[in-house]
Amino acid sequence: MKFICVIIIANTRNRENSGFHVERRMNMKVTLKDGSFKEYAQPMAVIDIAKDISEGLARMACVAEIDGEVKDLRTIVDKDCTLNIFTAKDPEGLAALRHTASHVMAQAIKRIWPETKLAIGPSIADGFYYDIDRDEPVTSDDLAKIEAEMKKIIKEALPLERFELPRAEAIKFMEEKEEPFKVELINDLPEDAVISFYKQGEFTDLCAGPHLMNTKEVGKAFKLMNIAGAYWRGSEKNKMLTRIYATAFAKKEDLDAYVTMMEEAKKRDHRKLGKELGLFMMSDAGPGFPFFLPKGMILKNTLLDYWREIHKKAGYVEISTPIILNRSLWETSGHWDHYKNNMYTTVIDGEDYAIKPMNCPGGVLVYASEPRSYRDLPLRMGELGIVHRHEKSGQLHGLMRVRCFTQDDAHIFMTPEQIRDEIKNVAGLINQVYSLFGFKYHVELSTRPEDSMGSDEDWELATNSLQGALDDLGLDYVINEGDGAFYGPKIDFHLVDAIGRTWQCGTIQLDFQLPQRFELEYIGADGEKHRPIMIHRVCFGSIERFIGILIEHFAGAFPTWLAPVQVKVLPISEKYEEYAKSVKAALDAADIRAEIDLRSEKIGYKIREAQGQKIPYMLVVGQKEQADGTVSVRSRFKGDEGAEDLNVFIANIKAEIAGRVNRPVEVKKEEEK
C-alpha cells in the first residue's frame, strides 16, 4: 500500500508538470466581529452563514455589514470578507426593521387608497415616515385603518424580493405604476447608479435597501404616531405632501416605553409651558425670531450670570463683536463659500455685508488687533454673541430651531503643546455645567467632512489631538465619520434629559484653518513668528435652545436658583395684606425673587394657582403668622413644611440659591398610592 501511494503522488506531480490542469478547492474565509472566522467551499447567503453560526442568531438577524457596508441577509458572499451580523438591538438592525415597516405602511396605504402617489419613506432616529400625495386629506382617524391593514400584511409573511433594472426600464416601470415622484428620483440618480427595487406581494417600491427577509419580521411592536405636512424634497417651491410618522421596535415593551415617553414629552412641550409660564412668545412678524417676556428674561439672564461666573474662574475674558461685517471677511473665513445659503446678507454703501451666522471671525479680528507673545497664550476669549442663520420655515420649532439665537461662544488661541490640556479644560467645564442641571451625556468625535478646507496633515493632527484628549480623560466616545465642521474636527456632547431624550449642545472644534487664512501670529520663545491653533467651543450651545431643553427637562419646575419667581406670598385675607407686604419687602431686600397675591380669592385657589405656575415656595400668612412673626411654608418639594421664622426661611432659601441646589421632590406614600 505504501508503494501504491508513492506512485499515485508521483503520477500527480508528473501530470502537473506536464501541463495537466488540477482543480484546487480554495476555501472562502469569512472573518467575524470577534476575530474568529468561518470557511466555506462555495458562495453563501448571509442568512445561511448566520444559521451556521447559530440558529438563534439567524432568527434574530436583521441585516449584516460586509466589509463595512450594510447589506441584506439575502446577499451572497462569494469572497473573503469581514462580516458583522446585526439584530434589532443594534442601530443598523433597528433601522432596517423600521425601513421595512415603512414599506409595509406604504403597501397598506396603496391597498386602502390605490390612487395614492408615493414619495419617500426612510427610517429616522425615532422611527420612520412615508410622504404621500392624495387629493383627499389623511386624518388622525385614518391611522387606525392603516395600522389594521399593516397587521394583515405582516401576518401574510410576504417575502421581500430585491431586483435591479436598467435606467430606461426602471423609469418605464414606475411610469406604468403612475408614480411620478419615483420617476423623478430615478431621473436624478447618477448615470452609473444601481437602480434597485423591493417587491412584497403585489407591492413594489424603488429602494436601495437593506430590508428584512419578509414582512412578518416587522412584528407587532409598531405604531403610527401623527401626521404632518412636508414639501417634496424639502423645498418650499415644491408640492406639499402628507407625511405620516410612525415608529417600530423589536419588542412591545420597548414600544410601550417609547409611547409613554412621547406622552410625557407632550406634557413637557416647551412651547406650551413657555406660554403658560410667561417665558417667551413667537410672532408672525418674525417667524423663527423668539421674543423673551419678563420672566423669560429673568431665566435667561440668570443662566448668563452663571456662565460669566464660571468662565471668569476658568480664566476667560469676555468680548463682544459686531453683528454685521463685510463680505471680504466672510470670504477670508470661508463662510461665504461654504455657508452662504444659511446667511442673511445686505448691501451697505454699495458693498456686500452679512449678518454673522457665527462669532468666530470676529474673535479672530480681536486676536489680530495687537501683537501676541507665547506668554499671552492660551488666550481664552468668551462671547455671548447673537447670530442669525436661515432655517427653512418647515424646520422651525419653538426655541429648539430658530433663526436668531445667542451662542455662548469661546475661542481659545494656543500653542500646539497646549492643545490637549485646553481640550481637557473645556471638557471639564462642560461636565460642570451639565452636572449642575442633572444631565447625563455621551460624547461623539466627528471627523473630516467631504466639504472641507485644509491639508491632510492639519486634519490628521487636529483629529489625533482631540482623540488623544478624550483618551487622556478616559471618556467613552464614538466616532462620527464625516460630520466635522468644514474647518476642523469636533467633539460633540449629547446630553440626556429627564425622560431619556438626547440633545446635542456642547461642542469643541479644533481649527488650524482660520489662523492660517487670517495669518494670525505670535512670537515664540525663540523670538520667531509662529501660527497659533484655535479652539471653537460652546457649553450651552444656543442659549435659546438650552432654555427650551431646560423647560422640558424640568417640566417648567426649575430649581429655586433658576426659577423666575422663587417665592409667592399668599395672605389668607385682606386683613393680613400689610403683613404680607412686609414679608415681600423682606424677601426683596434679600434679593429673593418674590410676588404677592392680593386678590380676594380663597387661599386654596391661590395655592393651586401658584402650584400650576411651578413656583418653588409659597408663604401663607394669616393671624397666627402675623402675631408670631413667622410664615407658613409650602414648597413644591415637600408640600406643607410648617411654620418658620421669616429670617430663618430667608437664610435657608438664600443658601439654597447660592448653592444652586436642585432640590428633589419628596413623594409621600399616600400620594404614591
Side-chain angles (χ1 to χ4, degrees), residues 46 49-50 53 57 61-65 73 83-87 90:
V46 174
I49 297 175
I53 296 170
L57 175 62
C62 294
V63 289
E65 184 180 57
L73 297 177
L83 177 69
N84 186 9
I85 296 173
F86 296 121
T87 71
D90 303 299

Side-chain angles (χ1 to χ4, degrees), residues 512-567:
F512 287 74
Q513 309 311 318
L514 282 189
Q516 289 181 12
R517 294 173 78 94
F518 283 91
E519 299 181 349
L520 302 185
E521 295 174 343
Y522 67 91
I523 303 300
D526 57 3
E528 299 295 323
K529 292 180 178 179
H530 298 271
R531 188 82 70 209
I533 313 298
M534 184 177 181
I535 284 178
H536 309 246
R537 49 107 290 191
V538 293
C539 295
F540 294 138
S542 155
I543 300 294
E544 285 71 10
R545 184 166 182 262
F546 196 77
I547 287 173
I549 294 168
L550 286 180
I551 292 170
E552 298 195 359
H553 177 61
F554 291 115
F558 301 108
T560 304
W561 71 274
L562 201 54
V565 179
Q566 295 164 328
V567 179

Side-chain angles (χ1 to χ4, degrees), residues 107-359:
Q107 184 177 13
I109 290 168
K110 292 288 280 187
R111 282 186 178 182
I112 298 167
W113 304 296
E115 76 284 358
T116 304
K117 310 303 178 190
L118 301 176
I120 57 171
S123 65
I124 54 176
D126 294 324
F128 60 94
Y129 67 80
Y130 218 112
D131 288 346
I132 65 171
D133 182 32
R134 60 187 306 264
D135 293 335
E136 295 295 321
V138 180
T139 68
S140 298
D141 294 338
D142 294 319
L143 298 185
K145 187 190 305 182
I146 299 170
E147 280 189 3
E149 192 62 39
M150 288 176 69
K151 289 175 182 176
K152 292 179 185 177
I153 294 168
I154 291 168
K155 192 174 182 180
E156 290 169 20
L158 301 172
L160 276 83
E161 303 167 23
R162 184 182 186 276
F163 64 92
E164 299 172 6
L165 289 176
R167 180 182 297 270
E169 291 183 34
I171 291 172
K172 182 181 178 183
F173 182 67
M174 280 300 167
E175 284 177 340
E176 289 174 349
K177 288 185 171 292
E178 298 182 354
E179 295 287 3
F181 301 110
K182 303 293 183 181
V183 172
E184 184 178 329
L185 290 171
I186 296 170
N187 278 321
D188 287 348
L189 289 172
E191 286 297 324
D192 59 349
V194 174
I195 303 173
S196 59
F197 298 83
Y198 281 82
K199 180 179 184 297
Q200 56 199 58
E202 82 288 352
F203 177 75
T204 302
D205 203 355
L206 171 72
C207 190
H211 284 285
L212 305 183
M213 297 292 285
N214 66 71
T215 59
K216 185 179 181 180
E217 294 176 11
V218 170
K220 299 177 181 179
F222 70 92
K223 183 175 178 61
L224 275 55
M225 303 298 292
N226 55 61
I227 300 169
Y231 290 108
W232 168 233
R233 309 191 89 166
S235 173
E236 297 173 18
K237 297 177 182 178
N238 292 335
K239 188 171 188 177
M240 176 68 78
L241 305 177
T242 298
R243 176 169 293 179
I244 302 176
Y245 282 103
T247 193
F249 293 87
K251 297 178 181 178
K252 190 174 184 301
E253 51 263 41
D254 293 337
L255 174 64
D256 292 342
Y258 176 78
V259 171
T260 300
M261 183 187 79
M262 293 306 293
E263 289 172 352
E264 181 63 25
K266 286 181 182 178
K267 299 175 188 174
R268 294 169 178 258
D269 190 323
H270 76 284
R271 295 167 298 179
K272 172 178 171 287
L273 289 173
K275 184 176 181 180
E276 292 174 358
L277 301 178
L279 301 176
F280 70 94
M281 59 172 271
M282 295 293 184
S283 169
D284 291 339
F289 298 92
F291 291 70
F292 276 90
L293 304 176
K295 289 180 180 178
M297 278 307 298
I298 292 172
L299 173 61
K300 185 176 182 179
N301 284 331
T302 303
L303 280 175
L304 299 187
D305 289 344
Y306 167 65
W307 184 92
R308 287 189 166 100
E309 177 187 314
I310 61 174
H311 281 76
K312 184 179 180 181
K313 289 179 180 177
Y316 288 76
V317 293
E318 187 176 353
I319 63 170
S320 177
T321 63
I323 290 177
I324 300 177
L325 293 164
N326 67 26
R327 172 176 175 169
S328 62
L329 175 83
W330 303 109
E331 287 177 333
T332 302
S333 70
H335 289 88
W336 198 266
D337 293 329
H338 294 269
Y339 206 74
K340 186 174 182 294
N341 290 340
N342 294 89
M343 296 167 67
Y344 296 113
T345 60
T346 187
V347 177
I348 302 175
D349 295 335
E351 285 189 54
D352 290 331
Y353 279 72
I355 301 173
K356 65 179 179 181
M358 299 176 189
N359 297 305

Side-chain angles (χ1 to χ4, degrees), residues 338 447-453 459 481-486:
H338 294 269
T447 60
R448 187 176 190 173
E450 289 185 11
D451 180 21
S452 63
M453 60 186 189
W459 274 88
E481 296 287 355
D483 201 40
F486 66 84

